[in-house]
Amino acid sequence: MSWIPFKIGQPKKQIVSKTVERDFEREYDKLQKLEDQTKKLHKDMKKSTEADLAMSKAAVKISADLLSNPLCEQDQAFLESMAALDTAMRRMDAFNQEKVNQIQKTVIDPLKKYSGVFPSLNMAVKRREQALQDYKRLQSKVEKYEEKEKTGPIMVKLHQAREELRPVREDFEAKNKQLLDEMPKFYHSRIDYFHPSFEALIRAQLHVAVQLPAAAQKGTKAAFVVSLRLRCHESCPAAVSGTHRLACPPVQMLMN
Amino acid sequence: MAVPRRPQPSTFTLALLKPASSALPPLRAIQKVIKKDKLQEKEGASESSISEERLAQEAEEAKRKSEDEEAAAKERAAQRQLLAIEELVQSERNYLRLLQLTTFTTRSNLQQLQPPPANLDSMFLYIEEVIDVSSRLLSLLDQKQIQPGDPLFLETLCDSFLSLSSDIEAAYREYLANYSNITLVENSYKEKEALWNDIIKVIKTSVPDVNATSLTFFLVMPVQRIARYPLLLQTIQKHTDPTHPAYELLEKTAHTSVALNVHINEYKRFREVADKYKKTEPLSIKDKINRLNTHSIAKKTARLSQQIKHETGITPKLVDEEFDALEGLFNVLERGILDLLENVETYLHHLQTFLACKTEEFDFDMDGEKAPICYKEIATALRQWILPTFEKRMQTLIHKPLCALRDLLVGPRNLIRKRLHKLLDYEMIEAKSNLSYEEQDVANTYRTINTLLLNELPQFNGLALQMMWSMLGTFNCLHRDLATDMEQLFQSFAQQLPHSSLDHNAFWVWAESEVLEGARRLETLCQSVEETLNAPVVQPLSPSSQCRLKQLTDKHGSGKIYQVAGPVVGTRDLDLNLAKGELVAVISEIDTRGDKKRWLVDAGGRRGYAPSSKLMRYHQPTEGPPPSPHLTLPEGVTGFRRHSYTPETRPLTHPFFQVLAAYDFTGRGKHEVSVRAGEPIRVLEPHDKRGNPEWSLVEVRGGKKGYVPSNYLTVMPMGMAPPSSPYR
C-alpha cells in the first residue's frame, strides 16, 4: 500500500523474536543490578575497612599521647599502667591491621576486578545493539527493494542490498548468541567467585575477635590496679570520704 | 521546773514564764527578784543597831549575809545560766520549726502558684543540710533525757555541739555563701508586683503565727543563727561558775563557735573572690576597647613592666615553689585532658563512619549460599546492636564526663592567671610600709587568691587525675566487653562455614589461591568477550565506493583513508556535506585557524572541511596497503618485461612457510593478476624479467599466473590461519 504515506500502521516484521529479546533484556537487567550491587559493596567495604583501621589507630593515639604526657614521669605506678594500656592498644591495632590486609587481598581486590568486567560487557551489549540497528536498517532496505517492481536496476540494487545484509546479519547473530551464552554464565559465576571472599571476611574477623579479649584483659588489669592505688593516694582525701556533696565543696568552689 | 538544791533565803519561787521567742521577760523577772532581795537585806541590815553585842551579832550576821549574798548571787547566776541554756535550746527548737515550715509548707505552696516563680528551687538549695544539722543537735540533746537544770545537761550540750561543729561549719558555710543568690532571686520576684503579692499571701497562710513580709524573713534565719551561737554560749559562760565541772568544755565550745564564724566568713570571702575572677566573659574586641580607661591601662602597663623586670632580672622574682609545682601539675593535667578528649572524639568519629557504611545491605541474589548469609547476619548484628551499644557507652561513660571535666578546667585556669596579675600588683607595693586603703585591698586580694589556690588546687588536681585514670580504665573495660561480644557472635557462626576445619594459615593459603583462580577466570572471560564481540564488521564496498577508494588511495596513500561514521552537514563555508559511509582522504589534520577538530579532507574531487569526530580510520580488511609500485615505473618498461617469463616454477615456498597475499590487488593489465587478501599464493619468481624485485610472478589458485607487487605478499608460518576475512 504505497499510497499510504505513514508506515505506522504496518506491522513490522520482527527480526528478532520477542522472546529472545525479552530473555536478553532479562539477563542484561540482572547483570546491571549485579554491577550496581558490586560497586556499592566495594565502596562500602573500602570505607568500612578504612574506618576500622582509623579507629584502632585512634585508640593507639589515646594511649600513646598519655604515655608521652609528663604525668607519667611523676608516678611509677601510672607509668606502668599506662605502658600496659599502650601495649594492649598496639596489639589490638596490629591484629586489626593484619585483618584489614587480608580483607584487602581476598575481598576488596576481587570485588574491584569483578566490577572491571562490566564495562567490556556493556560495550559488547552496545555493539550488539548497534549491529541490531544496522541489521534492521539493511533488512528494511532489502524489503523495500523486494516490494518494488522487478526491473533491472532494482534487481541489481536488491542483490547488492542482500549482499550487504548478509555479513551484518551474521555478525549480529554471532554477537547475540555469544552474549546470550556468556551473560548467564557470568552471572552464575558470581557464586563461585565470591564464595571464598565471604568466607575470608568472616574468618578474618573471627580471628581478631578471638584474640582481642586476651589483649584487652591485660589492659583492664593494669587500669584496675591504678584506680586502686589512687584510692589510697594521699593527694585526694576527698575521694575517700563517703558523701559526695561534702567531699566536693572545695572542688565545687573552683568548679562552680 | 527543778530548783537548785540550796538553802533558800527567800521563800518566793522563780516565776518561770513559758518559753517564748524573746528572753527578756524572764530576765526582767529575775531583776525584780534581785531588787526585792536586796531591799529585804537592806531592811534587815538597817534594823540591826548600835550595841556591841549587836556588833558581833552584826558581824556574824554580816558574814552570814555575805554568805547568803554569795549564795544568792550564785543562785542568781545559776538561774541565769539555766535561763541562758534554756534560751539556747528553745530558740533552737523554734528556729528549726520555722525552717522546716518554710521549706516544706511554704515551698510546696509556692510551687503550686500559677505560674510557679522562677528559680524557686535555688532559694532552698542548702537549707536541707542546715535543718539536718540542727535537728541532729537537738536529737543528741534529747537522747540523754536530762533536764537543763542538771549540770550534766551543759556537758551534753557542749559535747554535742563540739561533735557536730565540723558538720555545722560545712552546712552553714555553703548556705551563707549562697545567700547572696537568694536575695538576688527575691529581688527579681519583688519586681513583679502581682507575683510578689501572691507570694506574701502564701507566706501568710503557711506560717500564720509569724508576721512575715518576705521569704527572706525566714531564709535569713540561718545567717542570724550561726552568729548567735557565740553570743548564747558566751552568755552561758558568763553566768557559769568557773568551778562548774563543765566550765572548760563550755569555754571550748564558745571558742569553737567563734572559730566557726571566722571560718565561714573567710570561706564566704574566698567564694566571692573566686566568683569574681573565675568566669571568662566572651568579650568582643569592641567591648575590650570600651573597657579600656586610664585606670585599667595604667594597671596593665604596670603589670607588664613588672613582668619585664622579672624576665630581665632587674627585680628578683618572688618564686613560690609550692605554687609553681601545683601550677605545673595543673598545666600537665590540662594538656592531658585536652589531648584525651580530642583523641576520644576522633575515635568516636571513626566509629560512626564505620557504622554508616552498611556492608550487609547488598544483594547479589545469592541467598542460597551459606557464606554470604552468614556474613550478612554477622554484619547486621554488629551494626545493629553490638557496636551501637558500645558507642553509647563510650559517649556516656567517657565522652560526656571528659567534656564536663574540660569545662571545669576553665575556672582554675582563670584564677591562676588572675593570681599572677595580682601578684605583680602586690609586688609593686609590697615594700611599702604604709599602705593606702586601695593598696591594702590589692594586697588582700592577692593573698586571698593565693591561699585559695594553695588550698584547693591540690585537691582539684588529684580528683581530675583520678577521673582521667578511671576513664581510661573504663575505656579498656568497654573494649574488653566489646571483644567478648564479638567473640561470641563469631563463634556461633564459625562452625557453619565449610572451611572452618582448616587452621589459620592453611585457610589463608586456600583463600588466596581461590582468589587468584577467580581472577584468572575473569580475565579469560574478558578476553573472549573482547575478541569475539569487538571485531568490527567490514562492509563490502559498492563499486562506486571502491572507485573512490582507489582514487583516494592513489592520490593520498592508504594511511589517510577515513570513513565517515555519520552524516556530516557542513555549516561554515568550505565545509563539506558527507554521507555516512563515504570514504575520504585526510589532507590535513588541522584547519587554517589551528582547530584540530576540523580536518581538511578530499572526497573524491571535492575538498573541504569535516569534523574529525565523524571520521573513522578506514581499515581495509587488513592494514592499508603500502603504495603500489605502479606509480614509479613507466608503462613501457613494465610491458617489455612482462612478455618474457619462464614457465619454470621455482619451489619458492619454504616447506615451513606459506606465502599469502596481504592485500587485495587488482591487476590492471594482462600481465598482472588479481589477488585477494589472505589468498595463499605460490611465488614463481620473486622478481620480474628485468630483475626488478618489486614485482613477483605468482600463481594463484585456479592456475592464473601473473605479476603482483612483491610488497603485497607476506610470509606466514605454516599452520597459522590467514587473517580472517568475513567473506569468501
Side-chain angles (χ1 to χ4, degrees):
Chain A
M1 297 199 253
S2 52
W3 56 269
I4 300 178
F6 310 119
K7 285 203 175 153
I8 303 172
Q10 283 184 354
K12 272 202 187 142
K13 249 199 245 172
Q14 282 298 346
I15 298 174
V16 179
S17 72
K18 274 211 172 106
T19 44
V20 170
E21 197 60 40
R22 218 183 28 236
D23 283 342
F24 192 87
E25 284 291 320
R26 204 179 49 226
E27 286 298 319
Y28 189 50
D29 282 344
K30 280 203 300 196
L31 274 181
Q32 277 182 319
K33 182 160 162 254
L34 184 62
E35 179 183 4
D36 288 336
Q37 292 293 316
T38 316
K39 280 209 182 96
K40 179 170 178 291
L41 184 61
H42 172 70
K43 200 172 68 151
D44 283 342
M45 269 290 156
K46 215 162 146 202
K47 256 174 69 175
S48 99
T49 43
E50 276 169 7
D52 199 350
L53 205 55
M55 245 170 54
S56 58
K57 294 265 182 270
V60 168
K61 190 158 189 283
I62 287 178
S63 57
D65 275 350
L66 279 170
L67 199 56
S68 63
N69 191 301
L71 275 175
C72 291
E73 291 162 14
Q74 301 200 353
D75 192 325
Q76 192 60 27
F78 294 164
L79 181 64
E80 283 169 6
S81 65
M82 251 356 268
L85 188 69
D86 189 51
T87 328
M89 290 294 144
R90 281 186 201 273
R91 199 176 296 148
M92 295 207 292
D93 182 49
F95 286 137
N96 239 12
Q97 182 74 54
E98 195 190 317
K99 170 182 93 174
V100 165
N101 285 344
Q102 283 166 345
I103 290 182
Q104 182 75 27
K105 264 192 293 188
T106 50
V107 181
I108 297 185
D109 287 342
L111 270 171
K112 188 139 181 247
K113 288 210 184 88
Y114 205 75
S115 318
V117 174
F118 287 102
S120 32
L121 268 180
N122 288 337
M123 184 64 78
V125 169
K126 247 193 248 166
R127 293 269 164 85
R128 173 204 172 263
E129 195 58 36
Q130 275 173 356
L132 182 60
Q133 295 306 321
D134 284 341
Y135 182 25
K136 281 189 180 161
R137 184 172 51 85
L138 290 177
Q139 178 78 8
S140 58
K141 210 159 98 176
V142 164
E143 284 165 11
K144 193 180 73 179
Y145 283 136
E146 274 177 358
E147 283 172 12
K148 286 197 179 160
E149 310 169 347
K150 311 263 191 246
T151 62
I154 301 284
M155 288 304 290
V156 164
K157 284 203 184 117
L158 176 61
H159 177 77
Q160 229 176 6
R162 284 212 185 107
E163 287 295 313
E164 255 181 83
L165 179 64
R166 195 161 21 105
V168 169
R169 185 180 61 226
E170 282 169 6
D171 175 61
F172 166 74
E173 273 167 10
K175 285 190 160 95
N176 196 36
K177 180 164 167 307
Q178 171 114 69
L179 276 176
L180 276 176
D181 273 341
E182 293 285 347
M183 285 205 293
K185 262 201 283 182
F186 178 64
Y187 190 75
H188 188 76
S189 75
R190 78 195 182 295
I191 297 181
D192 289 328
Y193 184 79
F194 284 120
H195 180 83
S197 300
F198 285 118
E199 262 196 68
L201 202 53
I202 301 176
R203 191 70 190 250
Q205 299 195 33
L206 169 66
H207 180 67
V208 173
V210 168
Q211 306 279 354
L212 273 183
Q217 188 71 27
K218 290 203 183 134
T220 321
K221 244 197 266 179
F224 183 61
V225 164
V226 168
S227 50
L228 264 187
R229 283 203 207 193
L230 271 173
R231 299 252 161 74
C232 316
H233 215 281
E234 279 173 32
S235 68
C236 31
V240 180
S241 66
T243 329
H244 173 70
R245 282 293 278 287
L246 290 178
C248 285
V251 189
Q252 261 181 8
M253 197 164 79
L254 288 174
M255 290 184 182
N256 291 340
Chain B
M1 279 284 175
V3 172
R5 291 183 294 280
R6 281 171 165 271
Q8 296 196 18
S10 44
T11 48
F12 55 84
T13 53
L14 284 167
L16 285 169
L17 298 167
K18 270 220 222 115
S21 51
S22 158
L24 286 175
L27 267 172
R28 267 200 217 109
I30 293 175
Q31 276 172 356
K32 275 193 207 147
V33 163
I34 293 169
K35 273 193 189 133
K36 253 188 171 172
D37 214 34
K38 276 196 184 141
L39 218 54
Q40 281 192 339
E41 281 187 329
K42 269 195 188 131
E43 282 171 8
S46 60
E47 272 174 7
S48 67
S49 229
I50 320 118
S51 66
E52 274 190 15
E53 287 180 346
R54 278 291 187 83
L55 217 61
Q57 222 183 8
E58 273 177 34
E60 219 186 87
E61 269 189 34
K63 201 164 133 205
R64 222 188 333 125
K65 268 178 219 153
S66 65
E67 274 181 12
D68 287 344
E69 271 176 26
E70 256 182 51
K74 275 199 188 144
E75 191 185 316
R76 284 196 294 277
Q79 285 163 355
R80 276 183 226 141
Q81 181 209 46
L82 183 64
L83 280 171
I85 295 174
E86 295 267 313
E87 187 189 338
L88 193 149
V89 174
Q90 288 309 327
S91 60
E92 184 83 19
R93 283 195 219 275
N94 202 37
Y95 159 72
L96 182 62
R97 181 182 73 92
L98 281 173
L99 274 188
Q100 280 170 335
L101 256 179
T102 317
T103 312
F104 299 122
T105 320
T106 318
R107 180 184 187 174
S108 51
N109 287 344
L110 279 175
Q111 271 170 346
Q112 283 165 15
L113 275 183
Q114 291 298 333
N119 281 334
L120 189 61
D121 288 339
S122 68
M123 296 186 92
F124 294 95
L125 209 44
Y126 295 103
I127 202 167
E128 311 238 333
E129 281 89 4
V130 170
I131 292 177
D132 178 61
V133 83
S134 176
S135 52
R136 270 156 73 192
L137 179 64
L138 282 174
S139 69
L140 275 175
L141 283 178
D142 289 337
Q143 259 173 18
K144 298 279 178 152
Q145 303 236 337
I146 313 171
Q147 298 298 343
D150 194 338
L152 267 179
F153 187 81
L154 189 56
E155 202 178 314
T156 324
L157 178 65
C158 298
D159 273 333
S160 14
F161 193 88
L162 283 172
S163 67
L164 284 174
S165 61
S166 57
D167 292 339
I168 293 175
E169 181 180 339
Y172 277 90
R173 114 172 139 177
E174 286 303 322
Y175 191 87
L176 260 67
N178 194 41
Y179 187 67
S180 50
N181 285 353
I182 294 178
T183 39
L184 268 175
V185 173
E186 195 179 54
N187 286 339
S188 74
Y189 290 167
K190 280 191 187 158
E191 283 168 17
K192 301 176 209 160
E193 217 180 291
L195 178 64
W196 186 244
N197 290 337
D198 284 338
I199 289 178
I200 294 187
K201 263 187 244 161
V202 167
I203 293 171
K204 289 220 161 90
T205 47
S206 317
V207 193
D209 50 340
V210 176
N211 190 19
T213 47
S214 67
L215 272 174
T216 41
F217 180 87
F218 299 101
L219 293 173
V220 83
M221 281 186 175
V223 181
Q224 296 167 334
R225 186 75 195 159
I226 191 70
R228 197 122 179 259
Y229 282 132
L231 291 173
L232 289 169
L233 286 168
Q234 278 163 2
T235 320
I236 302 178
Q237 191 183 4
K238 194 168 78 168
H239 296 299
T240 310
D241 197 357
T243 55
H244 195 284
Y247 188 76
E248 275 172 28
L249 206 57
L250 180 61
E251 203 174 9
K252 189 170 162 199
T253 316
H255 282 161
T256 315
S257 64
V258 171
L260 271 182
N261 273 290
V262 167
H263 290 166
I264 289 175
N265 282 333
E266 200 178 299
Y267 179 77
K268 190 165 173 191
R269 202 156 50 83
F270 275 12
R271 275 292 287 271
E272 281 169 5
V273 166
D275 281 337
K276 185 173 165 198
Y277 290 120
K278 227 177 4 185
K279 301 195 186 355
T280 35
E281 298 162 40
L283 296 170
S284 68
I285 296 193
K286 229 180 165 187
D287 291 332
K288 283 191 187 158
I289 293 176
N290 281 342
R291 281 200 175 185
L292 287 178
N293 54 22
T294 39
H295 172 67
S296 68
I297 291 177
K299 214 168 52 171
K300 288 190 203 302
T301 43
R303 282 188 195 145
L304 188 60
S305 66
Q306 188 75 1
Q307 238 179 339
I308 293 174
K309 282 186 198 162
H310 281 322
E311 296 304 322
T312 52
I314 298 174
T315 26
K317 195 168 172 183
L318 188 72
V319 171
D320 186 351
E321 277 184 11
E322 189 187 348
F323 188 82
D324 285 344
L326 281 175
E327 192 188 344
L329 184 60
F330 179 79
N331 286 339
V332 159
L333 259 178
E334 195 181 14
R335 179 85 260 134
I337 289 173
L338 291 175
D339 280 345
L340 186 60
L341 184 60
E342 194 183 319
N343 290 339
V344 165
E345 283 182 345
T346 324
Y347 185 84
L348 280 174
H349 169 74
H350 289 303
L351 177 58
Q352 281 155 358
T353 321
F354 184 83
L355 283 173
C357 33
K358 300 189 186 278
T359 55
E360 66 273 13
E361 288 177 0
F362 64 89
D363 181 15
F364 280 7
D365 195 17
M366 278 167 81
D367 293 335
E369 291 295 307
K370 239 208 197 128
I373 292 191
C374 286
Y375 174 69
K376 274 195 189 180
E377 286 178 19
I378 288 176
T380 319
L382 261 183
R383 283 202 170 83
Q384 296 291 348
W385 63 273
I386 294 187
L387 282 178
T389 346
F390 176 71
E391 186 194 0
K392 220 176 359 172
R393 286 175 86 195
M394 276 223 45
Q395 293 267 18
T396 42
L397 291 174
I398 295 183
H399 186 247
K400 263 210 214 122
L402 260 182
C403 284
L405 189 56
R406 176 202 52 192
D407 293 337
L408 291 175
L409 286 172
V410 173
R413 171 54 64 200
N414 281 347
L415 277 174
I416 291 177
R417 193 170 55 92
K418 259 307 163 193
R419 175 201 167 267
L420 180 64
H421 289 168
K422 297 296 173 189
L423 175 62
L424 292 171
D425 292 343
Y426 176 70
E427 279 177 351
M428 292 191 278
I429 61 168
E430 195 186 7
K432 285 194 206 168
S433 52
N434 208 3
L435 298 174
S436 73
Y437 182 65
E438 285 127 14
E439 288 164 346
Q440 268 183 350
D441 196 31
V442 165
N444 275 340
T445 325
Y446 163 69
R447 285 197 204 104
T448 319
I449 299 187
N450 199 36
T451 328
L452 172 67
L453 282 173
L454 280 174
N455 289 342
E456 305 300 335
L457 211 47
Q459 283 174 314
F460 181 83
N461 285 346
L463 274 175
L465 197 58
Q466 193 199 17
M467 267 190 86
M468 252 178 73
W469 291 118
S470 63
M471 258 181 262
L472 289 170
T474 322
F475 185 67
N476 219 85
C477 279
L478 289 183
H479 269 284
R480 193 198 51 199
D481 290 345
L482 175 69
T484 334
D485 281 340
M486 279 176 69
E487 190 189 357
Q488 274 180 343
L489 175 69
F490 279 98
Q491 287 288 26
S492 62
F493 283 100
Q495 310 306 322
Q496 299 180 25
L497 296 177
H499 291 91
S500 56
S501 51
L502 291 176
D503 84 321
H504 187 67
N505 291 327
F507 177 81
W508 288 110
V509 165
W510 169 81
E512 282 171 24
S513 65
E514 282 294 310
V515 163
L516 281 174
E517 177 68 26
R520 199 185 49 78
R521 267 185 255 135
L522 269 188
E523 271 200 53
T524 44
L525 171 69
C526 256
Q527 272 175 357
S528 69
V529 166
E530 297 242 354
E531 280 169 25
T532 47
L533 296 177
N534 291 343
V537 184
V538 179
Q539 283 281 3
L541 294 173
S542 62
S544 58
S545 296
Q546 281 184 349
C547 269
R548 172 83 74 86
L549 175 63
K550 202 170 89 157
Q551 181 191 23
L552 290 175
T553 322
D554 291 348
K555 225 173 174 189
H556 302 280
S558 61
K560 299 228 190 266
I561 310 291
Y562 281 72
Q563 188 169 33
V564 180
V568 172
V569 176
T571 46
R572 290 147 71 173
D573 51 322
L574 292 183
D575 271 359
L576 287 178
N577 292 335
L578 299 170
K580 182 176 172 183
E582 261 191 74
L583 292 166
V584 297
V586 167
I587 301 170
S588 156
E589 285 182 11
I590 188 169
D591 77 354
T592 49
R593 289 199 200 155
D595 186 0
K596 289 208 174 148
K597 299 223 182 86
R598 212 163 157 246
W599 289 356
L600 182 62
V601 298
D602 178 3
R606 295 180 295 149
R607 284 196 180 197
Y609 287 103
S612 67
S613 53
K614 292 248 172 109
L615 298 175
M616 265 187 359
R617 193 166 185 124
Y618 184 70
H619 295 279
Q620 311 197 354
T622 47
E623 273 298 296
S628 161
H630 274 171
L631 299 165
T632 57
L633 291 172
E635 185 63 40
V637 175
T638 339
F640 170 72
R641 245 182 275 131
R642 286 194 207 146
H643 286 304
S644 52
Y645 56 84
T646 59
E648 214 178 62
T649 57
R650 300 219 199 141
L652 286 166
T653 54
H654 204 277
F656 298 110
F657 288 97
Q658 172 73 54
V659 178
L660 311 165
Y663 313 103
D664 285 352
F665 174 69
T666 325
R668 293 189 303 180
K670 352 185 237 169
H671 299 286
E672 293 161 13
V673 69
S674 303
V675 290
R676 294 233 78 93
E679 215 179 320
I681 279 177
R682 221 168 66 174
V683 174
L684 302 173
E685 273 183 2
H687 56 84
D688 72 358
K689 281 298 160 194
R690 268 227 187 143
N692 190 347
E694 283 176 355
W695 290 94
S696 298
L697 183 62
V698 300
E699 184 181 323
V700 234
R701 271 207 199 110
K704 282 209 300 204
K705 292 182 191 159
Y707 281 99
V708 164
S710 306
N711 44 12
Y712 274 51
L713 301 175
T714 182
V715 166
M716 286 219 201
M718 194 100 103
M720 254 185 85
S724 62
S725 158
Y727 47 90
R728 272 186 274 258

PDB file of all heavy atoms in Angstrom, chain A residues 1-11 147:
ATOM      1  N   MET A   1       0.867  -1.201   0.000  1.00  0.00           N
ATOM      2  CA  MET A   1       0.000   0.000   0.000  1.00  0.00           C
ATOM      3  C   MET A   1       0.887   1.228   0.000  1.00  0.00           C
ATOM      4  O   MET A   1       1.073   1.887   1.014  1.00  0.00           O
ATOM      5  CB  MET A   1      -0.863  -0.012   1.257  1.00  0.00           C
ATOM      6  CG  MET A   1      -1.785  -1.218   1.282  1.00  0.00           C
ATOM      7  SD  MET A   1      -3.123  -0.930   2.411  1.00  0.00           S
ATOM      8  CE  MET A   1      -2.658  -2.008   3.736  1.00  0.00           C
ATOM      9  N   SER A   2       1.424   1.467  -1.143  1.00  0.00           N
ATOM     10  CA  SER A   2       2.444   2.515  -1.215  1.00  0.00           C
ATOM     11  C   SER A   2       1.841   3.902  -1.154  1.00  0.00           C
ATOM     12  O   SER A   2       2.539   4.874  -0.928  1.00  0.00           O
ATOM     13  CB  SER A   2       3.246   2.378  -2.513  1.00  0.00           C
ATOM     14  OG  SER A   2       2.342   2.326  -3.596  1.00  0.00           O
ATOM     15  N   TRP A   3       0.525   4.043  -1.375  1.00  0.00           N
ATOM     16  CA  TRP A   3      -0.025   5.380  -1.330  1.00  0.00           C
ATOM     17  C   TRP A   3      -0.177   5.895   0.096  1.00  0.00           C
ATOM     18  O   TRP A   3      -0.409   7.050   0.325  1.00  0.00           O
ATOM     19  CB  TRP A   3      -1.362   5.455  -2.081  1.00  0.00           C
ATOM     20  CG  TRP A   3      -2.369   4.471  -1.577  1.00  0.00           C
ATOM     21  CD1 TRP A   3      -2.562   3.210  -2.029  1.00  0.00           C
ATOM     22  CD2 TRP A   3      -3.306   4.655  -0.532  1.00  0.00           C
ATOM     23  NE1 TRP A   3      -3.550   2.588  -1.365  1.00  0.00           N
ATOM     24  CE2 TRP A   3      -4.035   3.448  -0.400  1.00  0.00           C
ATOM     25  CE3 TRP A   3      -3.625   5.731   0.318  1.00  0.00           C
ATOM     26  CZ2 TRP A   3      -5.049   3.275   0.537  1.00  0.00           C
ATOM     27  CZ3 TRP A   3      -4.636   5.529   1.266  1.00  0.00           C
ATOM     28  CH2 TRP A   3      -5.342   4.308   1.349  1.00  0.00           C
ATOM     29  N   ILE A   4      -0.103   4.941   1.073  1.00  0.00           N
ATOM     30  CA  ILE A   4      -0.208   5.400   2.477  1.00  0.00           C
ATOM     31  C   ILE A   4       1.134   6.022   2.866  1.00  0.00           C
ATOM     32  O   ILE A   4       2.159   5.364   2.817  1.00  0.00           O
ATOM     33  CB  ILE A   4      -0.519   4.224   3.402  1.00  0.00           C
ATOM     34  CG1 ILE A   4      -1.855   3.603   2.981  1.00  0.00           C
ATOM     35  CG2 ILE A   4      -0.559   4.698   4.837  1.00  0.00           C
ATOM     36  CD1 ILE A   4      -2.239   2.406   3.809  1.00  0.00           C
ATOM     37  N   PRO A   5       1.090   7.299   3.168  1.00  0.00           N
ATOM     38  CA  PRO A   5       2.369   7.960   3.475  1.00  0.00           C
ATOM     39  C   PRO A   5       2.983   7.499   4.807  1.00  0.00           C
ATOM     40  O   PRO A   5       4.186   7.560   4.996  1.00  0.00           O
ATOM     41  CB  PRO A   5       2.017   9.444   3.533  1.00  0.00           C
ATOM     42  CG  PRO A   5       0.550   9.482   3.830  1.00  0.00           C
ATOM     43  CD  PRO A   5      -0.045   8.223   3.289  1.00  0.00           C
ATOM     44  N   PHE A   6       2.142   7.062   5.714  1.00  0.00           N
ATOM     45  CA  PHE A   6       2.707   6.702   7.017  1.00  0.00           C
ATOM     46  C   PHE A   6       2.928   5.208   7.103  1.00  0.00           C
ATOM     47  O   PHE A   6       2.169   4.432   6.561  1.00  0.00           O
ATOM     48  CB  PHE A   6       1.777   7.120   8.165  1.00  0.00           C
ATOM     49  CG  PHE A   6       1.327   8.524   8.058  1.00  0.00           C
ATOM     50  CD1 PHE A   6      -0.023   8.825   7.931  1.00  0.00           C
ATOM     51  CD2 PHE A   6       2.253   9.561   8.049  1.00  0.00           C
ATOM     52  CE1 PHE A   6      -0.437  10.139   7.837  1.00  0.00           C
ATOM     53  CE2 PHE A   6       1.826  10.869   7.956  1.00  0.00           C
ATOM     54  CZ  PHE A   6       0.481  11.162   7.835  1.00  0.00           C
ATOM     55  N   LYS A   7       3.923   4.874   7.817  1.00  0.00           N
ATOM     56  CA  LYS A   7       4.192   3.446   7.941  1.00  0.00           C
ATOM     57  C   LYS A   7       3.827   2.887   9.302  1.00  0.00           C
ATOM     58  O   LYS A   7       4.164   1.780   9.653  1.00  0.00           O
ATOM     59  CB  LYS A   7       5.678   3.183   7.689  1.00  0.00           C
ATOM     60  CG  LYS A   7       6.037   3.266   6.253  1.00  0.00           C
ATOM     61  CD  LYS A   7       7.297   2.500   5.969  1.00  0.00           C
ATOM     62  CE  LYS A   7       7.542   2.524   4.480  1.00  0.00           C
ATOM     63  NZ  LYS A   7       8.921   2.393   4.113  1.00  0.00           N
ATOM     64  N   ILE A   8       3.152   3.690  10.068  1.00  0.00           N
ATOM     65  CA  ILE A   8       2.943   3.275  11.461  1.00  0.00           C
ATOM     66  C   ILE A   8       2.054   2.040  11.518  1.00  0.00           C
ATOM     67  O   ILE A   8       2.289   1.107  12.268  1.00  0.00           O
ATOM     68  CB  ILE A   8       2.296   4.405  12.269  1.00  0.00           C
ATOM     69  CG1 ILE A   8       3.165   5.643  12.186  1.00  0.00           C
ATOM     70  CG2 ILE A   8       2.129   3.978  13.710  1.00  0.00           C
ATOM     71  CD1 ILE A   8       2.547   6.863  12.781  1.00  0.00           C
ATOM     72  N   GLY A   9       1.059   2.088  10.680  1.00  0.00           N
ATOM     73  CA  GLY A   9       0.074   1.014  10.763  1.00  0.00           C
ATOM     74  C   GLY A   9       0.613  -0.329  10.347  1.00  0.00           C
ATOM     75  O   GLY A   9       0.133  -1.372  10.762  1.00  0.00           O
ATOM     76  N   GLN A  10       1.674  -0.305   9.542  1.00  0.00           N
ATOM     77  CA  GLN A  10       2.156  -1.569   9.001  1.00  0.00           C
ATOM     78  C   GLN A  10       2.851  -2.378  10.076  1.00  0.00           C
ATOM     79  O   GLN A  10       3.651  -1.849  10.828  1.00  0.00           O
ATOM     80  CB  GLN A  10       3.158  -1.292   7.883  1.00  0.00           C
ATOM     81  CG  GLN A  10       2.473  -0.886   6.607  1.00  0.00           C
ATOM     82  CD  GLN A  10       3.496  -0.714   5.519  1.00  0.00           C
ATOM     83  OE1 GLN A  10       4.685  -0.794   5.790  1.00  0.00           O
ATOM     84  NE2 GLN A  10       3.030  -0.486   4.304  1.00  0.00           N
ATOM     85  N   PRO A  11       2.531  -3.632  10.104  1.00  0.00           N
ATOM     86  CA  PRO A  11       3.208  -4.467  11.108  1.00  0.00           C
ATOM     87  C   PRO A  11       4.666  -4.646  10.707  1.00  0.00           C
ATOM     88  O   PRO A  11       4.966  -4.954   9.570  1.00  0.00           O
ATOM     89  CB  PRO A  11       2.451  -5.799  11.061  1.00  0.00           C
ATOM     90  CG  PRO A  11       1.809  -5.817   9.708  1.00  0.00           C
ATOM     91  CD  PRO A  11       1.590  -4.428   9.287  1.00  0.00           C
ATOM     92  N   GLU A 147       9.766  -5.107  -2.475  1.00  0.00           N
ATOM     93  CA  GLU A 147       8.374  -4.735  -2.768  1.00  0.00           C
ATOM     94  C   GLU A 147       8.251  -4.021  -4.101  1.00  0.00           C
ATOM     95  O   GLU A 147       7.163  -3.959  -4.680  1.00  0.00           O
ATOM     96  CB  GLU A 147       7.853  -3.825  -1.654  1.00  0.00           C
ATOM     97  CG  GLU A 147       7.492  -4.571  -0.396  1.00  0.00           C
ATOM     98  CD  GLU A 147       7.166  -3.608   0.732  1.00  0.00           C
ATOM     99  OE1 GLU A 147       7.007  -2.390   0.454  1.00  0.00           O
ATOM    100  OE2 GLU A 147       7.088  -4.051   1.889  1.00  0.00           O
TER     101      GLU A 147
END
